[in-house]
Each structure stands twice: as C-alpha cells, then as structure tokens.
C-alpha cells in the first residue's frame, strides 16, 4: 500500500531498526525493549552524548503565586526547581500555568527560547483556554546556547574542568534532561494528569523534545516542531542543513564524536528514525513547514514512515499516511504518529499549536 515510499526508503540504505547490533532479528515488542536500549546507548555515544543520571528526587521552592492570572482563569506559579546532577545541586526556574476550570489537565512541558512568557512562540492563554496545563522553562537557564566552553549552569557541573571529548554530554541532551526534572516535579503533586504529559519545543528545542521523550517514558507525547537536522530528518540524502554545517556552527549541541560523521553520513550506524522509534509505542506528532528547506520536510516525513514498523510490532496504528510525499496543508493525525506540513516558514505558529492540541485530545490515554 505504501509502495512508492517503501522504495524511496529502501534507496536510502538506512541502518535497520528491527535488527540487534549483533545482526539477530528483533521479532516482537519484548525484543524491542532491548533493542531500544541499544539504540539509546548508541545515540548517546555517537550523537548527543552521555545522559546525566536521574536524581533520586527534586525539590521545589515556590517563589510567587498568582491565583488570578489571565482574567482569573489561570493559576500561575513561579518555581525554583533543584535536582542533583552528578553529585552537585543544580537549580533552575520553572513556570507552571494551571487552567482553574479543568480537572486533571493534560500537560505540555514546553522548552522555551526566552524566559518571559507568553512570547511569540508560546501563546499561554490560548493554550490554557483549551484546558491544557503548561510547565515551561528556558533552555538558557539550563546551559547557555553558545560556545562558552561549558563553563556555566549544568554544562559547568558536568564538564568538571576537563577537556571535552568522545561521548561527553552535548547541550541538547542537557536541555532534555531538564525536561525530565519537570516531570519529577509534576509527579510530586496532584495538579495534573500524569498519564498525559507531553514535551514540546521548536527547532533546536524540537530536537530536544524528541530526545527528552526518547529517553524518558513518562512523556506520553512528543511534539517536535520544525526539528530538522539531527532531530527528525533522515540524514542520509538530506537537503539543506547537514552534519557538517550543524557540527561546525553548533558543536556544543552534540558530543564530540558526532563530528566524525561530517561528510560521512553513510557511515553512521544510526539515522534519525532511530530517535523517533525510541519513542514507540508512545505518541509523537511532528510539525514541519513548506519553506523550511533547511530542515527538509520530505526527509522529516520519511523518518516517521521508517519508524512505523516499530509501532506495528506493538499492534499500534502507527503512522497512517498516503503513499506519497507530504504537501502543504496535509494533516495526518489518525494514528499513534502524527504529522503536519503547513505553508510558510520556520516558525512555531498558532497553527502548529492548534494541531498539537487537537492531536493530544484525540489520543488522550
Ligand atoms: C539553525 C540550525 C537548525 C535549527 C535552528 C533553530 O540555525 O541550523 O538546526 O536548530 O537553528 O534552532 O532555530
């Protein structure tokens, strides 16, 4: 039924998802759990770097509460969250927005570019009006998004003064680790529906949203918006940004090992469908934009097409889509995997938000 796309995928010569590193087949959902572990280890080693260990608990200090935010509809809390990272306490600010009229709201953990909300990517009131809670932090409060030699924040704690090498943690992984601490915090209360927590981000933070959900099964949904290169786009044959560009402009996003694949994509023992598949059987729904050729929407789409076989192992609907490449205006939301291609540029728009909220309502656990 999806003959044309299958041919296209065959032509890319992707590393196999349903085959263990030793060549033996992955036959069922139980095997997949072991294979998933292999994949997560591989992505740490070769792309994103070692994942810091999970702390035993987090503590929260509520700095300010506004019980009547947004015309009185929202409870807004300004919190300082603290967690142990490799033996040192690390703290960062978190904002929580709870819609007062909704019992047990589904929650979106949003990884933001800026620390003043709402902002152009984050229309807080439009989201809480739909009955969603939001838990938001700014990535720069975790580790600065610039070449600072890993001296500040979580990066400073992890670097411990050594030269970075091999599989040392990159910043995408650090931001993803922080998203998990937000779930630790949500789990300490009774304010939200813990079975329906999503993680979302745009662009570099879309990559982060995929990593966060791949490594933490408490995220029932991942919403990577325009995540592109080293996010959801297949690297082999990719147009626009490639490993060479991304690792020379943003080496600190990754572990030093990733750079060796610059111009050598065919040698990678993985591709980005591995990251998507590590989220299975949970939900993932991606947003892409027609003019975002730097991200390459076709290669983004093919990642989900390729990851679908893992969903099928679980008897899930997986990715339901026609046998063709995506067109602007396409919205595929009937399966466990969702996808939309909107017209326009690289941006986290209201249109994207509406699609993600729609998807979450359809697939609520
Ligand atoms: C670009 C980068 C993309 C994407 C984007 C963003 O410069 O090349 O991979 O992450 O930044 O985060 O806005």
């Amino acid at each position: 039924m999806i003959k044309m796309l299958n041919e296209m995928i065959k032509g890319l010569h992707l590393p196999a998802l349903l085959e263990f590193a030793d060549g033996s087949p992955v036959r069922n959902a139980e095997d997949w759990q072991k294979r998933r572990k292999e994949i997560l280890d591989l992505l740490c080693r070769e792309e994103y770097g070692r994942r810091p260990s999970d702390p035993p608990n987090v503590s929260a200090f509520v700095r300010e509460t506004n019980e009547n935010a947004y015309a009185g509809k929202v409870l807004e809390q300004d919190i300082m969250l603290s967690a142990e990272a490799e033996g040192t306490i690390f703290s960062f600010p978190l904002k929580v927005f709870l819609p007062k009229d909704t019992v047990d709201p589904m929650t979106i953990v949003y990884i933001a570019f800026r620390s003043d909300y709402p902002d152009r990517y984050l229309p807080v009131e439009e989201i809480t009006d739909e009955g969603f809670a939001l838990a938001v932090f700014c990535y720069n409060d975790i580790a600065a998004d610039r070449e600072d030699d890993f001296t500040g924040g979580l990066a400073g704690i992890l670097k411990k003064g050594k030269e970075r090498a091999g599989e040392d943690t990159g910043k995408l992984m650090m931001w993803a680790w922080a998203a998990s601490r937000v779930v630790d915090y949500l789990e300490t209360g009774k304010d939200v529906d813990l079975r329906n927590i999503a993680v979302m981000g745009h662009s570099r933070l879309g990559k982060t949203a995929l990593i966060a959900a791949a490594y933490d099964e408490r995220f029932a949904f991942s919403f990577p918006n325009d995540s592109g290169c080293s996010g959801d786009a297949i690297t082999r044959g990719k147009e626009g940004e490639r490993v060479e560009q991304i690792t020379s402009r943003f080496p600190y996003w990754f572990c030093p090992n990733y750079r060796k694949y610059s111009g050598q994509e065919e040698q990678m023992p993985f591709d980005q469908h591995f990251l998507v598949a590590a989220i299975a059987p949970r939900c993932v729904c991606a947003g892409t934009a027609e003019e975002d050729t730097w991200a390459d929407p076709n290669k983004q789409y093919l990642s989900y097409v390729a990851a679908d076989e893992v969903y099928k192992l679980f008897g899930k609907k997986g990715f339901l889509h026609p046998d063709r490449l995506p067109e602007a205006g396409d919205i595929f939301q009937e399966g466990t995997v969702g996808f939309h291609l909107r017209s326009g540029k690289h941006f986290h728009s209201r249109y994207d938000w509406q699609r993600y909220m729609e998807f979450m309502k359809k697939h609520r656990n």
Side-chain angles (χ1 to χ4, degrees):
M1 252 183 337
I2 51 162
K3 205 162 167 288
M4 183 203 106
L5 287 176
N6 280 344
E7 285 303 312
M8 216 177 248
I9 286 188
K10 245 196 238 152
L12 291 171
H13 303 290
L14 300 176
L17 279 170
L18 299 185
E19 200 178 290
F20 286 102
D22 69 3
S24 58
V26 173
R27 293 199 179 85
N28 48 42
E30 200 186 318
D31 283 355
W32 175 255
Q33 300 304 353
K34 290 183 215 128
R35 175 64 175 145
R36 173 172 175 265
K37 180 84 184 48
E38 269 188 5
I39 285 174
L40 293 177
D41 289 346
L42 178 67
L43 294 175
C44 277
R45 247 185 354 258
E46 301 295 327
E47 188 168 12
Y48 304 114
R50 213 174 296 114
R51 182 169 167 90
S53 43
D54 291 326
N57 51 46
V58 291
S59 66
F61 172 63
V62 181
R63 301 194 290 189
E64 210 180 318
T65 301
N66 180 354
E67 289 181 13
N68 287 301
Y70 297 90
K73 296 175 290 183
V74 173
L75 175 79
E76 178 174 341
Q77 286 180 313
D78 181 348
I79 293 166
M80 195 53 131
L81 209 58
S82 300
E84 197 181 304
E86 312 299 350
T88 302
I89 298 293
F90 174 66
S91 302
F92 63 97
L94 170 73
K95 275 263 192 169
V96 176
F97 301 89
L98 296 169
K100 283 156 66 175
D101 279 349
T102 310
V103 183
D104 233 13
M106 298 198 279
T107 302
I108 298 167
V109 175
Y110 189 74
I111 313 167
F113 279 97
R114 286 164 286 270
S115 53
D116 194 14
Y117 322 118
D119 81 0
R120 63 192 172 125
Y121 289 157
L122 183 62
V124 174
E125 187 178 1
E126 281 151 85
I127 299 158
T128 50
D129 275 353
E130 291 288 329
F132 290 88
L134 273 169
V136 190
F137 68 92
C138 171
Y139 75 147
N140 275 316
D141 288 331
I142 310 305
D145 185 15
R146 60 186 152 81
E147 188 66 279
D148 62 353
D149 199 25
F150 288 70
T151 43
L154 181 60
I157 293 175
L158 299 179
K159 190 183 178 203
K160 294 190 179 118
K162 295 191 306 274
E163 267 319 296
R164 273 171 46 78
E167 50 191 274
D168 281 348
T169 316
K171 290 187 179 178
L172 295 172
M173 180 60 91
M174 296 184 198
W175 303 326
W177 179 89
S180 288
R181 308 296 62 88
V182 177
V183 183
D184 295 346
Y185 167 69
L186 296 172
E187 284 183 332
T188 63
K190 291 193 170 61
D191 294 332
V192 304
D193 175 0
L194 296 173
R195 291 185 314 142
N196 287 286
I197 299 179
V199 58
M200 193 192 293
H202 168 62
S203 205
R204 63 200 71 182
L205 299 176
K207 310 181 208 303
T208 307
L210 284 167
I211 301 169
Y215 285 85
D216 189 338
E217 291 176 294
R218 297 173 300 173
F219 288 113
F221 297 84
S222 178
F223 296 114
N225 194 70
D226 297 356
S227 72
C229 186
S230 313
D232 63 6
I234 293 287
T235 314
R236 287 168 168 80
K238 187 181 176 308
E239 297 185 9
E241 188 172 32
R242 300 185 57 75
V243 178
E244 181 175 353
Q245 282 105 353
I246 204 166
T247 56
S248 31
R249 290 173 67 204
F250 307 108
Y252 50 91
W253 287 356
F254 306 97
C255 69
N257 277 343
Y258 189 43
R259 209 171 180 154
K260 67 174 181 256
Y261 297 113
S262 160
Q264 305 288 327
E265 287 84 355
E266 311 303 320
Q267 307 304 318
M268 300 193 320
F270 61 91
D271 209 313
Q272 294 309 118
H273 63 314
F274 277 35
L275 181 65
V276 171
I279 299 172
R282 292 164 292 139
C283 287
V284 53
C285 176
T288 63
E290 191 183 18
E291 292 176 48
D292 193 2
T293 50
W294 190 237
D296 191 350
N298 285 339
K299 288 296 183 306
Q300 295 179 272
Y301 180 73
L302 289 177
S303 244
Y304 300 98
V305 175
D308 188 38
E309 58 184 357
V310 178
Y311 284 85
K312 297 284 157 54
L313 270 190
F314 285 86
K316 291 274 180 183
K317 279 193 204 154
F319 191 20
L320 303 179
H321 57 82
D323 189 20
R324 59 164 173 78
L325 289 171
E327 293 163 6
D330 276 344
I331 302 168
F332 305 129
Q333 295 203 336
E334 295 317 307
T336 331
V337 174
F339 183 92
H340 67 261
L341 176 63
R342 64 161 167 77
S343 55
K345 298 187 190 305
H346 188 75
F347 192 78
H348 198 171
S349 73
R350 299 298 191 267
Y351 179 92
D352 299 309
W353 272 103
Q354 285 157 3
R355 302 292 78 72
Y356 299 136
M357 292 192 286
E358 230 165 61
F359 182 89
M360 219 170 155
K361 285 179 185 171
K362 272 187 197 157
H363 296 278
R364 184 168 193 162
N365 293 294

